[in-house]
């Protein structure tokens, strides 16, 4: 893979801010819109849009979108079809945040199908922000969530196959296919919504890095790393190798850069540049992607490596209903 990677560092410095594509808010009847990471964001957006289009809240919309992704039977990186850790255990991470600062999260949750809804219950029904592992599962069961063995036969097969080498090697944008045969070993559904009342919310849900150490927690359930939302400014979410987001408090950083006046794309780009500056060599071998929306509904994204796509839905027609590819620091070809 290394041989085929081309490093376009110059693009970092050369790309002027004016050249960066921020998708301007396009007036719809309500101004509502939703954006989600990756190609599976299209389905998540559809579920979220039903809520927004019916006058529902951004919070309900992002939960509906995340639930859709968690139930998707073709996705080896999110929810019930996720790949397990190196011990063969599927553990799920999720968070949800409202623009008023309320938030909830679960990490390393086992055998509960909708971690995003458990995260919302943590937010609404406990004095806490995050529950992990056994405690998160106990809480979920106490709230009426069912305990269901989630590891699919396909995921178990993929794990057995992985055991042959037992090599932990995060991929950069593995070519996604419907199961069987999807080789993606990490990705996250990050979803941000603005509702007709001008409220923002976001959610993040993932099975994390395939073949991770048992007990490893990524950025997605960590508020400020994988997700941050502030009605005063905007919202940001992330996908990619979560350790980088945690190191940089990345989603919080993106929102704070927007607070200082950056467009969503500029903010995402500066946060990506921070990742490169901190770990220039490592950043060539791993993917990090940011997606942001400001309170005016403008959307932007930026990634370390080429290939990060996100979906936008605002009820309009044309490009606003399609997948968009984010600009990136490196142009990396698929393996
Ligand atoms: N951010 C996720 C994690 O580190 C994985 C991903 O989005 O690719 O768990």
């Amino acid at each position: 893979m290394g041989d085929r990677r081309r490093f376009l560092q110059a693009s970092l410095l050369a790309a002027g801010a004016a050249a960066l594509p921020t998708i301007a808010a396009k007036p719809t009847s309500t101004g509502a819109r939703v954006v989600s990471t990756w190609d599976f964001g299209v389905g998540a957006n559809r579920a979220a849009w039903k809520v927004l289009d019916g006058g529902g809240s951004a919070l309900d919309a992002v939960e509906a979108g995340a639930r859709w992704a968690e139930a998707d039977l073709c996705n080896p990186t999110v929810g019930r079809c996720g790949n397990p850790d190196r011990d063969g255990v599927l553990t799920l991470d999720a968070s949800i945040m409202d623009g008023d600062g309320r938030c909830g999260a679960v990490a390393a949750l086992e055998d509960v199908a909708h971690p995003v809804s458990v995260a919302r219950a943590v937010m609404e029904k406990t004095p806490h922000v995050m529950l992990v592992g056994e405690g998160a599962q106990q809480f979920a069961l106490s709230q009426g969530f069912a305990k269901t063995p989630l590891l699919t036969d396909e995921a178990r097969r993929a794990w057995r196959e992985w055991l042959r080498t037992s090599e932990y090697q995060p991929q950069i944008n593995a070519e996604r296919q419907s199961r069987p045969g999807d080789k993606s070993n990490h990705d996250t559904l990050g979803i941000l919504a603005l509702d007709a009342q001008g409220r923002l919310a976001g959610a993040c849900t993932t099975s994390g890095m395939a073949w991770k150490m048992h007990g490893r927690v990524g950025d997605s359930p960590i508020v400020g790393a994988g997700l941050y939302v502030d009605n005063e400014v905007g919202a940001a979410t992330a996908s990619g190798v979560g350790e980088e987001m945690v190191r940089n408090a990345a989603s919080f950083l993106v929102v704070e850069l927007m607070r200082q006046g950056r467009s969503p794309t500029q903010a995402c780009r500066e946060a990506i540049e921070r990742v490169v500056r901190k770990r220039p060599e490592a950043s060539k071998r791993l993917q990090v992607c940011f997606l942001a929306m400001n309170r005016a509904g403008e959307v932007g994204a930026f990634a370390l490596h080429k290939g990060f796509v996100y979906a936008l839905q605002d009820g309009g027609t044309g490009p606003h209903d399609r997948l968009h590819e984010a600009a990136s620091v490196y142009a990396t070809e698929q393996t």
Side-chain angles (χ1 to χ4, degrees):
M1 192 151 95
D3 299 347
R4 305 174 64 201
R5 190 180 291 126
R6 282 178 292 129
F7 177 34
L8 298 183
Q9 187 164 33
S11 72
L12 244 183
L13 305 166
L20 296 173
T22 286
I23 296 178
K26 178 162 136 303
T28 58
S29 51
T30 65
R33 63 202 56 228
V34 55
V35 284
S36 294
T37 52
W38 301 111
D39 48 359
F40 45 80
V42 172
N45 282 359
R46 254 175 228 153
W49 186 253
K50 279 190 195 142
V51 176
L52 292 174
D53 202 31
S57 70
L59 189 66
D60 287 343
V62 295
E63 184 186 6
R67 285 178 65 93
W68 180 90
E70 288 169 347
D72 181 1
L73 290 172
C74 296
N75 195 334
T77 63
V78 176
R80 55 192 285 195
C81 287
N83 281 325
D85 61 25
R86 70 183 191 183
D87 295 345
V89 182
L90 173 62
T91 61
L92 302 177
D93 294 343
S95 62
I96 191 162
M97 186 163 193
D98 202 19
D100 63 7
R102 293 179 309 141
C103 51
V106 287
L109 177 63
E110 291 177 33
D111 293 336
V112 179
H114 285 297
V116 73
S117 296
V118 184
R120 183 164 177 178
V122 171
M123 171 176 103
E124 290 178 339
K125 298 186 178 155
T126 80
H128 307 306
V129 160
M130 184 192 279
L131 295 176
V132 306
E134 230 177 274
Q137 193 191 64
Q138 272 167 20
F139 169 71
L141 302 187
S142 78
Q143 295 299 306
F145 291 88
K147 185 173 173 182
T148 325
L150 292 181
L151 193 67
T152 61
D153 291 344
E154 180 64 29
R156 191 174 290 109
R157 265 198 296 278
W159 171 62
R160 291 210 179 105
E161 176 70 26
W162 174 79
L163 281 176
R164 290 181 189 197
T165 56
S166 300
E167 200 190 329
Y168 180 75
Q169 182 54 64
Q171 290 166 317
I172 299 172
N173 315 327
E175 212 165 319
R176 192 173 285 285
Q177 302 153 21
S178 289
R179 277 184 179 283
D182 189 328
K183 298 280 189 295
S184 318
N185 71 9
H186 64 95
D187 276 339
T188 293
L189 185 274
I191 179 167
L192 309 172
L194 176 68
D195 65 26
Q197 284 74 45
R199 296 170 300 197
L200 288 158
C204 231
T205 184
T206 189
S207 49
M209 308 300 291
W211 335 129
K212 61 195 174 187
M213 291 174 70
H214 187 61
R216 180 263 186 187
V217 171
D219 60 310
S220 308
I222 298 179
V223 170
L227 177 71
Y228 198 72
V229 187
D230 185 340
N231 273 341
E232 284 182 3
V233 180
T237 189
S239 184
V241 177
E243 282 73 8
E244 304 308 312
M245 285 60 128
V246 175
R247 286 188 177 103
N248 290 284
S251 291
F252 180 72
L253 173 62
V254 171
V255 171
E256 291 310 297
L257 288 167
M258 291 194 289
R259 194 189 303 277
Q260 291 165 25
R262 309 308 196 275
S263 71
T265 308
Q266 285 171 317
C268 291
R269 178 184 164 194
E270 284 185 40
I272 288 287
E273 288 171 354
R274 181 92 53 107
V275 172
V276 176
R277 270 206 308 282
K278 284 236 174 98
R279 303 212 317 138
E281 280 311 307
S283 74
K284 294 176 197 169
R285 295 186 302 275
L286 48 86
Q287 179 61 302
V288 171
C289 321
F290 298 129
L291 175 62
M293 177 159 59
N294 65 19
R295 58 184 292 226
E298 292 170 332
V299 170
F302 212 86
L304 261 180
H305 292 269
K306 185 170 163 52
F308 173 48
V309 293
Y310 62 95
L312 184 145
Q313 169 62 271
D314 65 357
T317 54
H320 283 254
D321 294 324
R322 289 207 295 266
L323 281 174
H324 302 265
E325 182 166 354
S328 61
V329 175
Y330 307 104
T332 304
E333 290 165 16
Q334 304 263 323
T335 54

